[in-house]
Amino acid sequence: MSLANKLAEERRGRLAAERLLELKEAELSAANRKLGKHAAALQGEIVETRAEVATVKTENERVKTELGQANQKVQIAERRLWHSVQTITDGFAFFNSDNQMIAANESYLAIFDRIDAIRPGVNYMTILQVLTDEGIVDTEGMPDTEWRQMMLDRWMQPQPDPVTVRLWNDQYVKLVDRRSPAGDIVSLGLNITESVRYQQELKAARTEAEAASRAKSAFLANMSHEIRTPMNGVVGMAELLGDTGLSEEQQLYVDTIKNSGEALLVIINDVLDYSKIEAQKLQLHLEPFDLERSIHEIIMLLQPSARDKGLTLLLDYDLFLPTTYVGDPGRIRQVLTNLMGNAVKFTSEGHVLVRVTGVPDLDAGHAEVTIVIEDTGIGIPEDKIDHIFGEFNQVENERNRQFDGTGLGLAISARLVSLMEGEVWVSSEEGIGSVFGFRIPLKLSEAKLPEHPPVPDGLRRVMVVDDIEANRTILQRQLEQLGLGVVSCASGAEALEQLRDIDLILTDHNMPDMDGLELAETIRTRGVETPILLLSSNPSFATNDPGAKYLHAIMQKPVPRADLFARLESVGPVIGANGAPPPAPEKRRMVVLAAEDNKTNQLVFGKMVKSADIDLHFANNGIEAVDLFQQVSPDLIFMDISMPKMDGKEATQRIRALEEDTGGHVPIVALTAHAMDGDDKGILEAGLDHYLTKPLRKPEIHGMLHDMCPDGVKHPFEDAVPNEGAA
Ligand code: ADP
């Protein structure tokens, strides 16, 4: 090879080597760069890790200090807690679920007088053993084993009830134990000696106070009784003095003495009753009585004042409830009189309804009788209603102030009812009315249900006409219970529209638009001869009305059931007569008017003529006497001579003057205290026919009734035993 070639070849080789070198260098620097990058990344990571390690380290430090602090706190808290537990004067201990003591405070241990055995680890049973063996606890007569058993039984309960134990030194400890869900028990021993003593003192004081109160009531009862005796003397003598021919002024003084005395007697009677009950001296006197009749009698007593106010008195006595019971009729009447009297007193319009219901238990021979008295009166404010059964409590407000009373009536009634083992209640709405009720258990007087007379044949549909819905409802129910169909009408007009297919008509007397008598007349003018019964709260008015001749009978409202049923029976023959005109109404009673201003004398007079079957009206003075004369057309008048407002002589003159227009001459008997010579002349001159001197005597009064009874009128003593009449 030529040199040139060799040189060329060498140059080529060098060039190739140089290129290779360049290549390698490039690769190397690339690798270097990569390495550099990697190193940088590693470096970063190292820095990061280092930072992390540093944080963990500080965190660790913090946790460590916090843990230390917490530990310290726990120790402080525990120390404090234990310190507190130690300082409380009540005993405190923990037990584990195996009933072993874990810890107890000083007070707990002190009870055991630091007996060695009582320390942490001791079992509860050992504690009980020590308590009895060492005489620490006073088991109050219970044998030790029994006491321990009782305490252990209690301890084993899931949640033991607190128990009070008495210690040897007359201290009382109340044990309160609480079991945790894990079974541990926290036991507290509270020293309640103070409050036990206090309670004992209170109890003693209470017993003492009760005894004192009973003594006070007994004293009051005695006093009231003692006051009553001379008061009766005062009232009685004032009454006699009133009849000794006094001047008008003197008469007024005497009447005032008497009326005040009587008012005082009422109050004293209330106080006497109340104190007797309080002193537990009131005894019930049980005897058979007729409850329905008692209520009717009270209604009759209240009827005049109810009528004066235009109030309707209603009685709804459960048809299937017996009426005769064994109880204390006097006391039951007292409660009824009080509740019904209040209802009338506090009601100015509307009605007073007495409802008697009950479920008799014939086998057991008794019944729970519920009597409810409902009125439409002033009602009782809500905030007062809880107090009215208390003593001397009256609702104090404008509307109530007009009524008098002692405020003892309800208190006495409530106590009487509870003495009879019953209960009493009230609900009321101001301005709407009140409902007073009581329930008493009563022994049945006869172990059978009331029997009702059979309904006469042909009596199927009865019409009831009354503007007062309650009245209609009561009658309707009673009649329906007898199996009769009832057509109920609220007015005469309504009745006239429904006259078809009616066997008997029961109509109210007083109704707006058309009254019962007008209705009867209208029915007859239409040629309908259905028998008509008139129910009237003032039968004597009705009797004297020309419309009375259309009536089958007149009955006093509210009608006792027995009377109503008896009437239904009497209707039988009329219906049986099939359209024949009804017989004339039965003879009416003799209407007697007594003018007498003195309530006691009215009472005496009423008592004297009690056995006479008459329709008696009282006038309180001459003016009333003249008014009543026009209203009731009496068959006989007893006229007191000295009366306030208008005396008996003047009243008689006016009556005689009225008779000049109307005709007729009613016999008038003067009642006079002026039994002096010549007096009779003035009396007879005034138009009086006869005179009787006071004090009145029964035979003289009866003699007058007997002699003066006009023909065609039922004789006052027709049903009476002979000899009782005109004596
Ligand atoms: P008194 O009637 O002698 O005041 P009571 O003890 O009988 O005493 O009644 C207490 C009070 O209860 C009455 O004064 C009256 O305020 C209220 N009260 C009782 N009954 C009724 C009633 N039917 N309607 C409204 N208030 C009544």
Side-chain angles (χ1 to χ4, degrees):
M1 162 185 334
S2 69
L3 187 58
N5 280 355
K6 268 197 177 172
L7 276 173
E9 197 174 316
E10 193 186 332
R11 209 178 76 224
R12 274 198 307 271
R14 201 181 70 233
L15 281 174
E18 271 172 359
R19 263 200 311 277
L20 190 66
L21 186 67
E22 257 170 48
L23 200 72
K24 286 298 165 192
E25 264 175 0
E27 271 179 13
L28 190 64
S29 80
N32 245 347
R33 258 194 327 272
K34 213 172 171 183
L35 204 64
K37 247 189 211 162
H38 195 64
L42 263 180
Q43 180 87 7
E45 260 175 43
I46 286 169
V47 169
E48 238 170 63
T49 313
R50 269 211 194 115
E52 265 171 29
V53 167
T55 341
V56 168
K57 246 191 194 159
T58 44
E59 190 81 349
N60 255 351
E61 285 302 316
R62 201 171 56 79
V63 169
K64 229 191 220 163
T65 41
E66 275 179 10
L67 208 63
Q69 281 167 351
N71 209 14
Q72 227 172 346
K73 273 187 192 161
V74 167
Q75 278 175 7
I76 292 171
E78 201 178 327
R79 216 169 37 241
R80 279 189 188 146
L81 181 68
W82 193 239
H83 183 69
S84 312
V85 166
Q86 285 293 14
T87 40
I88 54 172
T89 47
D90 295 313
F92 191 93
F94 312 105
F95 292 81
N96 64 17
S97 51
D98 292 332
N99 305 314
Q100 283 167 328
M101 182 194 279
I102 302 169
N105 71 356
E106 273 302 304
S107 312
Y108 194 95
L109 298 174
I111 292 175
F112 300 91
D113 206 15
R114 295 195 183 67
I115 291 173
D116 260 356
I118 306 298
R119 60 185 140 82
V122 67
N123 193 289
Y124 190 70
M125 278 200 277
T126 315
I127 294 180
L128 293 177
Q129 190 78 40
V130 170
L131 281 173
T132 47
D133 287 357
E134 300 291 328
I136 296 170
V137 71
D138 180 350
T139 62
E140 292 177 276
M142 193 186 273
D144 290 356
T145 43
E146 211 175 292
W147 186 84
R148 287 197 300 267
Q149 192 56 50
M150 174 195 81
M151 294 296 283
L152 195 63
D153 288 348
R154 171 191 166 275
W155 178 261
M156 290 308 185
Q157 300 287 323
Q159 286 308 343
D161 286 333
V163 65
T164 300
V165 294
R166 183 178 168 174
L167 302 185
W168 61 280
N169 52 3
D170 222 12
Q171 300 274 312
Y172 289 84
V173 177
K174 181 176 180 177
L175 299 175
V176 181
D177 303 305
R178 281 282 163 274
R179 199 181 288 275
S180 77
D184 288 357
I185 290 191
V186 175
S187 188
L188 260 180
L190 309 172
N191 189 332
I192 55 161
T193 311
E194 280 299 307
S195 67
V196 169
R197 294 254 155 79
Y198 187 58
Q199 264 173 21
Q200 284 170 341
E201 275 166 24
L202 272 185
K203 208 166 145 189
R206 190 193 157 129
T207 319
E208 216 169 278
E210 278 170 354
S213 162
R214 265 199 305 280
K216 182 204 70 189
S217 299
F219 169 75
L220 260 181
N222 269 337
M223 279 309 288
S224 318
H225 190 78
E226 293 300 318
I227 297 171
R228 247 160 67 109
T229 317
M231 272 315 292
N232 275 325
V234 171
V235 172
M237 283 298 147
E239 201 171 326
L240 289 181
L241 188 61
D243 290 338
T244 55
L246 304 174
S247 73
E248 211 164 287
E249 193 184 0
Q250 288 168 326
Q251 188 72 45
L252 181 76
Y253 296 159
V254 169
D255 285 348
T256 311
I257 294 175
K258 200 173 62 69
N259 292 340
S260 312
E262 274 167 359
L264 191 57
L265 272 176
V266 170
I267 298 172
I268 291 171
N269 281 345
D270 273 359
V271 174
L272 180 64
D273 276 346
Y274 183 76
S275 329
K276 264 194 191 160
I277 298 172
E278 283 294 282
Q280 293 163 7
K281 278 197 177 149
L282 193 124
Q283 302 217 329
L284 297 174
H285 299 286
L286 305 186
E287 56 182 286
F289 74 107
D290 187 318
L291 178 63
E292 194 191 16
R293 184 169 309 150
S294 298
I295 298 175
H296 268 286
E297 281 166 8
I298 299 168
I299 288 180
M300 287 306 154
L301 273 178
L302 295 171
Q303 195 70 270
S305 34
R307 207 160 42 205
D308 285 350
K309 296 187 185 186
L311 292 184
T312 315
L313 295 183
L314 304 163
L315 172 61
D316 184 5
Y317 196 105
D318 185 347
L319 193 63
F320 294 110
L321 183 67
T323 62
T324 50
Y325 296 95
V326 177
D328 186 333
R331 295 302 177 182
I332 291 172
R333 275 163 153 281
Q334 191 176 355
V335 175
L336 281 167
T337 308
N338 179 249
L339 298 183
M340 289 161 64
N342 276 349
V344 171
K345 179 158 90 170
F346 295 106
T347 304
S348 58
E349 57 183 39
H351 69 252
V352 171
L353 167 66
V354 183
R355 186 169 281 135
V356 188
T357 50
V359 186
D361 181 342
L362 294 183
D363 296 332
H366 68 75
E368 287 281 326
V369 179
T370 301
I371 304 182
V372 168
I373 294 109
E374 177 190 299
D375 68 52
T376 53
I378 60 172
I380 301 162
E382 213 181 321
D383 58 327
K384 298 284 170 15
I385 203 152
D386 291 339
H387 307 298
I388 53 165
F389 285 109
E391 304 81 45
F392 309 109
N393 282 344
Q394 296 173 310
V395 176
E396 267 296 331
N397 63 21
E398 274 311 307
R399 286 191 297 167
N400 213 68
R401 216 156 289 152
Q402 51 185 314
F403 307 105
D404 53 4
T406 55
L408 270 179
L410 288 179
I412 292 172
S413 299
R415 277 167 177 73
L416 285 176
V417 169
S418 90
L419 205 63
M420 296 181 225
E421 288 164 8
E423 50 176 341
V424 51
W425 62 89
V426 57
S427 69
S428 183
E429 202 174 326
E430 215 181 347
I432 304 289
S434 311
V435 182
F436 282 82
F438 66 100
R439 182 179 307 121
I440 41 172
L442 284 174
K443 249 177 76 185
L444 293 170
S445 168
E446 37 189 65
K448 61 180 169 69
L449 286 175
E451 276 175 20
H452 306 300
V455 175
D457 288 342
L459 182 57
R460 272 182 297 271
R461 265 161 64 87
V462 181
M463 171 181 275
V464 171
V465 192
D466 201 312
D467 56 315
I468 294 168
E469 193 192 340
N471 254 335
R472 290 198 304 274
T473 316
I474 294 172
L475 279 171
Q476 174 159 6
R477 223 185 23 237
Q478 295 190 337
L479 294 167
E480 279 175 353
Q481 280 170 332
L482 290 182
L484 293 167
V486 176
V487 178
S488 173
C489 303
S491 69
E494 223 177 276
L496 291 170
E497 278 172 19
Q498 312 214 32
L499 276 177
R500 244 170 308 122
D501 279 344
I502 300 289
D503 305 315
L504 172 69
I505 299 167
L506 292 184
T507 175
D508 182 25
H509 179 189
N510 248 329
M511 291 185 290
D513 299 330
M514 182 189 290
D515 74 16
L517 290 156
E518 289 167 332
L519 174 65
E521 197 172 343
T522 318
I523 290 173
R524 292 290 178 262
T525 53
R526 295 192 177 185
V528 177
E529 297 298 340
T530 315
I532 303 172
L533 283 182
L534 184 84
L535 309 181
S536 171
S537 52
N538 205 347
S540 61
F541 267 40
T543 316
N544 291 311
D545 191 284
K549 60 177 170 288
Y550 305 116
L551 303 172
H552 175 70
I554 300 169
M555 307 190 70
Q556 166 85 48
K557 249 175 50 167
V559 189
R561 280 182 308 172
D563 293 6
L564 179 65
F565 297 151
R567 275 300 165 202
L568 294 184
E569 256 192 322
S570 80
V571 169
V574 183
I575 302 169
N578 220 349
E586 50 168 65
K587 277 190 193 172
R588 65 168 177 83
R589 289 186 299 170
M590 182 177 181
V591 181
V592 176
L593 172 62
E596 168 61 73
D597 60 309
N598 182 303
K599 291 278 181 226
T600 313
N601 286 347
Q602 285 187 7
L603 203 76
V604 172
F605 189 91
K607 280 202 176 131
M608 286 180 173
V609 299
K610 206 170 144 203
S611 58
D613 187 12
I614 57 170
D615 184 7
L616 179 63
H617 299 262
F618 279 117
N620 294 308
N621 54 52
I623 298 175
E624 277 187 35
V626 178
D627 283 346
L628 270 174
F629 162 73
Q630 289 169 284
Q631 285 175 30
V632 306
S633 319
D635 301 304
L636 174 64
I637 300 178
F638 288 98
M639 183 77 80
D640 187 15
I641 293 303
S642 61
M643 287 187 291
K645 294 194 186 160
M646 183 190 286
D647 72 13
K649 287 186 196 172
E650 192 183 341
T652 305
Q653 280 161 358
R654 300 221 177 171
I655 289 170
R656 295 295 177 230
L658 287 166
E659 281 176 342
E660 295 219 5
D661 296 329
T662 57
H665 179 98
V666 59
I668 304 182
V669 181
L671 304 180
T672 169
H674 310 253
M676 281 175 273
D677 279 350
D679 233 346
D680 49 11
K681 205 164 154 252
I683 287 167
L684 299 179
E685 268 168 11
L688 291 126
D689 304 287
H690 309 273
Y691 75 89
L692 295 176
T693 46
K694 290 182 180 178
L696 300 177
R697 278 176 297 271
K698 193 163 149 184
E700 292 178 344
I701 307 265
H702 282 206
M704 286 292 172
L705 292 174
H706 184 75
D707 296 346
M708 303 294 164
C709 183
D711 290 339
V713 170
K714 187 163 184 261
H715 195 276
F717 304 104
E718 206 168 66
D719 306 329
V721 265
N723 191 15
E724 241 265 278

